[in-house]
Amino acid sequence: MLIEECPYIEPLDAYGAFAGYADSHILDSGDRDRFAYVVVSPLHKLTAKNGQVILDDFPVPGDPFAVLADLMAGYSMAINPDLPPFQGGVVGYFGYELAHQIEDLPKAPQDWLDMPDMAVGIYDLVLAFDQLDRRMWLISTGIPEKPGPVREKRAADRMGVIRKYLRLARPVLDIPDAPHAPEIMPWQSNFDRATYEDAVQAVVDYIHAGDIFQANLSQSFRAEYRDDAIPKRFDLYRRLSHISPAPFGAFLNFGDVAVLSNSPERFLKVVNGKVETKPIKGTRPRGRTPIEDAELAQELMLSAKDHAENIMIVDLLRNDLSKVCKPHTVETPQICTLESYANVHHLVSTVTGELQDGKTAIDLLAACFPGGSITGAPKIRAMEIITELEGSTRGAYCGAIGFIGFDGSMDTNIAIRSICVNGGRMAFNVGGGIVADSTPAAEYDETLVKAAKIFEALGINPDAL
């Protein structure tokens, strides 16, 4: 592995040199976390749609998780402990519809965005950033060559590729304007208030009938653009991340398909076999004054409903982790702690475990997918009800975005607060967990609170929808 430290550049500024190239991505922790990563020029590209897996433009047999695991098995590599933890491996998204590869679930009748169910690349080149110490490194692994002089030469040659483009990076001080123009970008939801509230009540009825304890119901805001009016997607991501910094943000550019994620929620993290997941359940808006803000935070902390909603998902995740973790290692060190973001307060819990011998991060991802915080409990029945009531695929939304390292590490988000793009179509979903004492009007209002910063980034007036 070849490592070169360079003068520090802000991660988004550095990524600007590569933003126009397909299969270049940034995992962006904003100002709320320490590390960020830029990847370019993948060794392999892997996508899946409706059970068909495509590797480097060729169809291959097998389910997506198994194909990815087989591919990664040939690329094991130790990392440098003095650098940011991701030093090469998988980057991309695992969409919500991958659940069909794990469970026998009904198909949604509509697939408005028509995105791949999964889109990832395997990257031997990484730009890694330590935002706390303000340091930046170019990392070139030399993979797929075997250790030795041939790998060293490849690492050096590939380093030249990323170094050349990095010279084009420039600080960008201005925040882009909102791209919205109503005459060419008419936004609408797949629900209006009345139909969303009816859907919430339907979930409550299912709960009272004994089908489920909780389900996560979302609405989808959508726009179809003229071909010459598609906004600059990276500028939109920069605007969104400036308005609402998030610890698990990402901008993924696959060409026609892109995902702009502003997620506050970690899904699964693996380091040296140690597992962590941090489900979010329970939300209040931020207050307009410090006193109102503190009152709303206190209200959330004291809410029996929100605590119950969170603990249900903690129990579900403990069960999921137990499928691949060693007996008696799954623990819950934190329950319902308060975390505050630009427009919301959340209740966040932490569940940990230790992988069984022979189990990998990909095994863990498949065992827990999709995350319980965005399905409900019991998971399978909740997903059936979600499909029935939402009536459309979710795309990357409520899947996972992040990395799986050559060393077996992993860090992924729950892809909420995320804008999905395919060609001239753009959409984002917002939702919440519905429980027995949910109030339909309040649940609808909560979706608008969660959407507020995306509305602001896009220049949308929600009252006009």
Side-chain angles (χ1 to χ4, degrees):
M1 183 163 62
L2 186 62
I3 300 165
E4 178 181 310
E5 185 166 5
C6 303
Y8 185 79
I9 305 172
E10 294 295 338
L12 289 176
D13 293 340
Y15 179 72
F18 308 98
Y21 299 94
D23 304 304
S24 64
H25 313 309
I26 180 169
L27 302 180
D28 171 32
S29 56
D31 60 0
R32 297 185 64 101
D33 202 7
R34 182 168 185 173
F35 302 117
Y37 307 96
V38 169
V39 293
V40 297
S41 184
L43 291 173
H44 300 289
K45 296 189 288 184
L46 186 65
T47 62
K49 180 72 172 175
N50 297 326
Q52 176 65 69
V53 182
I54 305 296
L55 174 60
D56 298 333
D57 299 323
F58 293 96
V60 294
D63 78 77
F65 292 109
V67 172
L68 181 61
D70 288 345
L71 197 57
M72 285 292 285
Y75 297 138
S76 178
M77 184 192 75
I79 66 170
N80 186 323
D82 298 324
L83 299 183
F86 178 64
Q87 297 167 28
V90 175
V91 174
Y93 75 81
F94 302 85
Y96 179 85
E97 263 48 60
L98 277 184
H100 291 279
Q101 303 303 311
I102 302 167
E103 305 290 352
D104 183 14
L105 297 166
K107 297 281 188 180
Q110 185 185 48
D111 187 4
W112 190 78
L113 273 173
D114 193 28
M115 296 178 66
D117 299 335
M118 179 181 83
V120 302
I122 296 181
Y123 291 87
D124 63 315
L125 290 174
V126 181
L127 270 172
F129 302 82
D130 183 329
Q131 298 180 105
L132 179 62
D133 291 340
R134 297 186 66 78
R135 300 177 71 185
M136 180 181 81
W137 296 266
L138 303 182
I139 301 170
S140 181
T141 67
I143 286 175
E145 301 295 347
K146 295 180 179 179
V150 176
R151 177 179 283 191
E152 292 174 8
K153 182 179 184 305
R154 175 179 168 80
D157 291 345
R158 293 280 284 163
M159 180 77 82
V161 172
I162 198 169
R163 190 188 295 115
K164 179 174 111 176
Y165 288 99
L166 187 60
R167 294 192 189 105
L168 302 175
R170 298 288 184 273
V172 181
L173 301 178
D174 295 334
I175 302 304
D177 293 334
H180 183 49
E183 69 277 9
I184 57 175
M185 307 179 198
W187 284 85
Q188 58 185 2
S189 174
N190 64 333
F191 287 95
D192 58 23
R193 175 181 278 274
T195 54
Y196 189 82
E197 290 182 8
D198 287 345
V200 171
Q201 186 59 52
V203 174
V204 173
D205 293 343
Y206 275 122
I207 293 169
H208 288 308
D211 283 51
I212 52 171
F213 300 108
Q214 180 179 168
N216 189 91
L217 182 71
S218 72
Q219 62 172 318
S220 175
F221 292 94
R222 303 166 174 176
E224 191 162 5
Y225 296 72
R226 288 202 323 245
D227 289 343
D228 61 346
I230 298 172
K232 294 181 179 179
R233 296 175 294 182
F234 180 55
D235 282 351
L236 175 58
Y237 177 75
R238 287 182 54 245
R239 178 175 168 82
L240 179 60
S241 62
H242 172 76
I243 291 170
S244 180
F248 304 105
F251 178 79
L252 307 180
N253 175 14
F254 297 97
D256 285 344
V257 171
V259 183
L260 295 65
S261 183
N262 190 234
S263 175
E265 182 171 357
R266 168 171 280 144
F267 181 25
L268 294 165
K269 179 179 181 179
V270 179
V271 179
N272 296 324
K274 306 294 185 182
V275 176
E276 178 186 83
T277 183
K278 293 179 71 71
I280 289 176
K281 276 296 166 195
T283 303
R284 290 293 185 280
R286 298 298 301 265
R288 290 166 293 183
T289 67
I291 292 174
E292 183 185 36
D293 194 55
E295 289 174 346
L296 287 165
Q298 180 79 348
E299 176 187 305
L300 178 59
M301 288 296 293
L302 296 177
S303 168
K305 169 188 174 293
D306 290 289
H307 276 250
E309 185 179 332
N310 191 295
I311 290 168
M312 285 181 204
I313 301 307
V314 166
D315 287 344
L316 189 158
L317 283 165
R318 286 177 60 90
N319 181 68
D320 283 349
L321 262 62
S322 295
K323 298 173 187 176
V324 290
C325 286
K326 294 178 180 178
H328 313 301
T329 66
V330 177
E331 299 177 342
T332 311
Q334 291 183 315
I335 289 281
C336 295
T337 61
L338 182 74
E339 291 188 7
S340 300
Y341 295 87
N343 62 317
V344 291
H345 299 292
H346 280 312
L347 291 182
V348 183
S349 295
T350 303
V351 185
T352 60
E354 184 177 346
L355 283 179
Q356 298 170 19
D357 295 340
K359 295 296 185 181
T360 69
I362 297 173
D363 294 325
L364 174 70
L365 184 63
C368 298
F369 197 87
S373 67
I374 44 70
T375 57
K379 183 185 281 190
I380 294 174
R381 184 66 182 122
M383 287 191 288
E384 291 172 346
I385 291 169
I386 287 167
T387 299
E388 172 195 333
L389 296 176
E390 292 186 5
S392 181
T393 59
R394 287 178 162 186
Y397 172 71
C398 286
I401 294 170
F403 71 76
I404 304 171
F406 289 136
D407 65 326
S409 63
M410 178 168 69
D411 204 359
T412 57
N413 74 11
I414 293 284
I416 54 175
R417 320 288 154 77
S418 297
I419 301 171
C420 297
V421 184
N422 190 0
R425 289 186 167 189
M426 182 178 289
F428 64 94
N429 288 46
V430 281
I434 312 303
V435 293
D437 53 352
S438 290
T439 303
E443 295 296 339
Y444 181 84
D445 291 340
E446 182 177 309
T447 68
L448 299 186
V449 169
K450 291 174 176 176
K453 292 301 179 183
I454 300 179
F455 286 146
E456 183 179 346
L458 286 162
I460 297 172
N461 176 6
D463 295 334
L465 295 177

